[in-house]
Amino acid sequence: MTAPPVLQNVKVAVDNCIFTVVDGRLQVLLIRMRKKPFEGMWALPGGLIDEGESLRDAAARILKEQAGVSGLYLEQLYSFDGRKRDPEGRVVSVAYYSLVPPVGLALGTTPKYEAVRFWDCDERPRELAYDHEAILGYAQARLQAKVQYTNVMWSLLPPRFTLRELQTAYEGVLNRGLDKRNFRKKILSLGLLRASGKKSKGSRHRPAMLYQFASQAPTAVEVF
Amino acid sequence: MTAPPVLQNVKVAVDNCIFTVVDGRLQVLLIRMRKKPFEGMWALPGGLIDEGESLRDAAARILKEQAGVSGLYLEQLYSFDGRKRDPEGRVVSVAYYSLVPPVGLALGTTPKYEAVRFWDCDERPRELAYDHEAILGYAQARLQAKVQYTNVMWSLLPPRFTLRELQTAYEGVLNRGLDKRNFRKKILSLGLLRASGKKSKGSRHRPAMLYQFASQAPTAVEVF
DNA sequence: TCAAAAGTGTTGCAAATACACCCATGT
DNA sequence: ACATGGGTGTATTTGCAACACTTTTGA
């Protein structure tokens, strides 16, 4: 707060870890870069913030552009300044993560990137561009912690789902198995779910009750 | 990651919430501003990052300048971009918080600020400069959460202390009373404390055992 | 009738809570 | 002797973890 230099020569970027869960496997959206320094490498979608755009707006824009959805769960993660991608000046990267359900997505087909797809977090390319390895690791740790004391898991699921699907999603994020009966007891005791009709299509076994969330608002509850 | 504009006109600042605990009251270091837009108002110490200085380095520098200590607990909190203090360009502020023991401090006497002092968090000025109200609230919430599942409380205390002092510090941060016997049981069962001699000076009652931490390294443990 | 997942309760253990009295010291 | 905080143990409650069988449907 002393007299600031007129030119600080710093740029601010936002990177977004977009997660979903398919069949109990945690997936993250990666893009394949076209431009020179990291050509052909996979990376998190991101970019410099626009003039007059807030950090959160920038993260939401990236989410919209790449996954075709908006209004979903979006949380700031951490700010990293390790990367020196730009020879003339440093870049501070503010990382966000988003949670989207595995349906209703329209993956961005912008010419900006060579490819866009979800990767299973356990099978993704080992090396990512910039410091995105670190960012993604951080995001996974945060998500893992967060599903255990909030209801953010809601955001990873479609509007209606079976208890088994919900449990499988938890198992995928937490990377460990859960006891079926204890899980049901716990989840139902929270009183955040509402039942509806039954499911039949495409199962050659007993149909399961479909549930939906009573409220979409983020709530801090001890799930585990 | 499209062709970036050459000039983004963004500045990056770091603000630091420096906490300590005195007599079981959580205190935060505030400075009184000399410069025009917020002249006379109290604020968190902070400033633009220097050329070639990492975010963390900047936070450590502020801590050193204002409290005269280094090497203590320092953690990044959140990045805020609400403030429009600079007419020609926005400022992204990366907030940190630091924990320091209530002794051995040398409050910064730089001519930069009109005054520097610790304020009891419950009695500090209601209005702070910029969006520092929000930052400080966020920091207090994070600290409160963090003392419950890590050993960061260590950083708020002098090298040697009584169990009562430790308990009082927890009570100050958590803003609630704790049962003496349960507290001692719990803390001692973690095996992170080591005893030493006794304390006598300045007490007209039975002296208490002085303890010290077996390790300074941050550890994730369930304290409460 | 078989395969495949849905659904459902009880028990044991560990951790958290609530709670009251004697002890050592300085004045 | 008294005032002040230091120090200690037990009983109860609560939440978590382990565990197996019957039910419903489609093929």
Side-chain angles (χ1 to χ4, degrees), chain A residues 1-15 31 33 35 43-56 75-81 83 85-86 88-90 92 94 96 112-113 130 132 138 142, chain B residues 1-15 31 33 35 43-56 75-81 83 85-86 88-90 92 94 96 112-113 130 132 138 142:
Chain A
M1 295 184 183
T2 180
V6 180
L7 246 184
Q8 214 193 10
N9 206 17
V10 178
K11 295 196 178 73
V12 176
V14 164
D15 291 307
I31 55 91
M33 302 196 67
K35 286 184 46 184
L44 297 168
L48 297 177
I49 58 177
D50 288 343
E51 200 63 44
E53 177 186 57
S54 73
L55 294 171
R56 186 185 176 83
E75 182 186 332
Q76 193 192 105
L77 192 62
Y78 202 80
S79 296
F80 297 83
D81 66 341
R83 49 188 210 180
R85 80 165 138 173
D86 207 324
E88 0 106 47
R90 55 199 289 204
V92 169
V94 184
Y96 278 75
K112 200 159 131 189
Y113 303 128
Y130 307 120
H132 288 186
Y138 203 95
R142 175 88 136 251
Chain B
M1 295 182 186
T2 180
V6 179
L7 246 185
Q8 214 193 10
N9 206 18
V10 178
K11 296 196 178 74
V12 176
V14 164
D15 292 308
I31 55 91
M33 302 194 66
K35 284 182 51 182
L44 298 168
L48 297 177
I49 57 176
D50 288 343
E51 199 65 44
E53 177 187 57
S54 73
L55 294 172
R56 187 184 176 82
E75 182 186 333
Q76 193 192 105
L77 193 61
Y78 201 81
S79 296
F80 298 82
D81 64 342
R83 49 189 210 178
R85 82 166 137 170
D86 206 325
E88 1 105 48
R90 56 201 289 205
V92 169
V94 184
Y96 278 75
K112 201 159 134 189
Y113 304 126
Y130 307 120
H132 288 184
Y138 203 96
R142 175 87 137 254

Side-chain angles (χ1 to χ4, degrees), chain B residues 25-78:
Chain B
R25 316 282 297 172
L26 185 63
Q27 320 249 307
V28 65
L29 188 146
L30 298 178
I31 55 91
R32 194 176 170 108
M33 302 194 66
R34 206 185 277 287
K35 284 182 51 182
K36 6 172 237 185
F38 290 103
E39 187 179 358
M41 289 190 76
W42 292 88
L44 298 168
L48 297 177
I49 57 176
D50 288 343
E51 199 65 44
E53 177 187 57
S54 73
L55 294 172
R56 187 184 176 82
D57 287 346
R61 171 174 54 80
I62 293 164
L63 175 59
K64 178 69 177 170
E65 285 172 1
Q66 300 308 323
V69 290
S70 55
L72 294 168
Y73 191 82
L74 183 62
E75 182 186 333
Q76 193 192 105
L77 193 61
Y78 201 81

Side-chain angles (χ1 to χ4, degrees), chain A:
Chain A
M1 295 184 183
T2 180
V6 180
L7 246 184
Q8 214 193 10
N9 206 17
V10 178
K11 295 196 178 73
V12 176
V14 164
D15 291 307
N16 198 348
C17 302
I18 302 174
F19 289 110
T20 194
V21 169
V22 177
D23 295 333
R25 315 283 296 172
L26 184 63
Q27 320 248 305
V28 64
L29 188 145
L30 298 178
I31 55 91
R32 194 176 169 106
M33 302 196 67
R34 206 184 276 286
K35 286 184 46 184
K36 8 171 234 182
F38 290 103
E39 188 179 358
M41 289 190 76
W42 293 88
L44 297 168
L48 297 177
I49 58 177
D50 288 343
E51 200 63 44
E53 177 186 57
S54 73
L55 294 171
R56 186 185 176 83
D57 288 347
R61 170 174 56 79
I62 292 163
L63 175 60
K64 178 70 177 169
E65 285 172 1
Q66 300 308 323
V69 290
S70 55
L72 293 166
Y73 189 83
L74 185 63
E75 182 186 332
Q76 193 192 105
L77 192 62
Y78 202 80
S79 296
F80 297 83
D81 66 341
R83 49 188 210 180
K84 308 263 191 300
R85 80 165 138 173
D86 207 324
E88 0 106 47
R90 55 199 289 204
V91 176
V92 169
S93 159
V94 184
Y96 278 75
Y97 73 98
S98 312
L99 307 179
V100 302
V103 294
L105 302 179
L107 295 198
T109 54
T110 61
K112 200 159 131 189
Y113 303 128
E114 199 177 301
V116 179
R117 56 163 286 201
F118 277 100
W119 284 86
D120 189 305
C121 282
D122 294 332
E123 297 166 8
R124 67 174 163 81
R126 287 280 302 148
E127 287 203 324
L128 302 180
Y130 307 120
D131 53 354
H132 288 186
E133 280 286 335
I135 296 178
L136 184 48
Y138 203 95
Q140 265 185 265
R142 175 88 136 251
L143 174 59
Q144 216 168 93
K146 204 106 186 182
V147 294
Q148 297 186 63
Y149 65 94
T150 71
N151 63 354
V152 290
M153 183 60 81
W154 299 186
S155 312
L156 284 165
L157 291 169
R160 296 189 171 189
F161 49 86
T162 65
L163 289 184
R164 155 75 55 164
E165 286 164 350
L166 182 57
Q167 177 178 346
T168 309
Y170 271 102
E171 290 174 336
V173 173
L174 297 177
N175 250 325
R176 64 189 169 97
L178 300 171
D179 178 85
K180 180 163 63 155
R181 279 174 290 189
N182 293 337
F183 176 81
R184 293 171 166 247
K185 241 181 307 176
K186 188 64 185 286
I187 285 292
L188 292 176
S189 76
L190 296 175
L192 299 170
L193 296 182
R194 282 200 338 239
S196 48
K198 280 186 175 238
K199 146 192 193 183
S200 58
K201 285 264 195 255
S203 74
R204 64 179 171 292
H205 60 276
R206 174 174 177 177
M209 178 70 79
L210 286 172
Y211 288 85
Q212 55 192 321
F213 295 112
S215 161
Q216 271 85 321
T219 313
V221 285
E222 287 290 335
V223 182
F224 300 105

Side-chain angles (χ1 to χ4, degrees), chain B residues 163-183:
Chain B
L163 289 185
R164 153 78 54 166
E165 286 164 351
L166 182 57
Q167 176 178 347
T168 308
Y170 271 102
E171 289 174 338
V173 173
L174 297 177
N175 251 324
R176 65 188 167 95
L178 300 171
D179 179 85
K180 180 163 62 156
R181 279 173 291 188
N182 294 337
F183 176 82

Side-chain angles (χ1 to χ4, degrees), chain B residues 21 24 151-158 160-174 178 183-184 186-188 190 192-193 211-213 223-224:
Chain B
V21 170
N151 64 351
V152 290
M153 181 61 80
W154 297 187
S155 311
L156 284 165
L157 290 168
R160 297 190 170 187
F161 47 87
T162 66
L163 289 185
R164 153 78 54 166
E165 286 164 351
L166 182 57
Q167 176 178 347
T168 308
Y170 271 102
E171 289 174 338
V173 173
L174 297 177
L178 300 171
F183 176 82
R184 295 161 93 92
K186 188 65 188 286
I187 285 292
L188 291 176
L190 298 176
L192 299 170
L193 296 182
Y211 288 85
Q212 54 191 320
F213 295 112
V223 182
F224 299 106

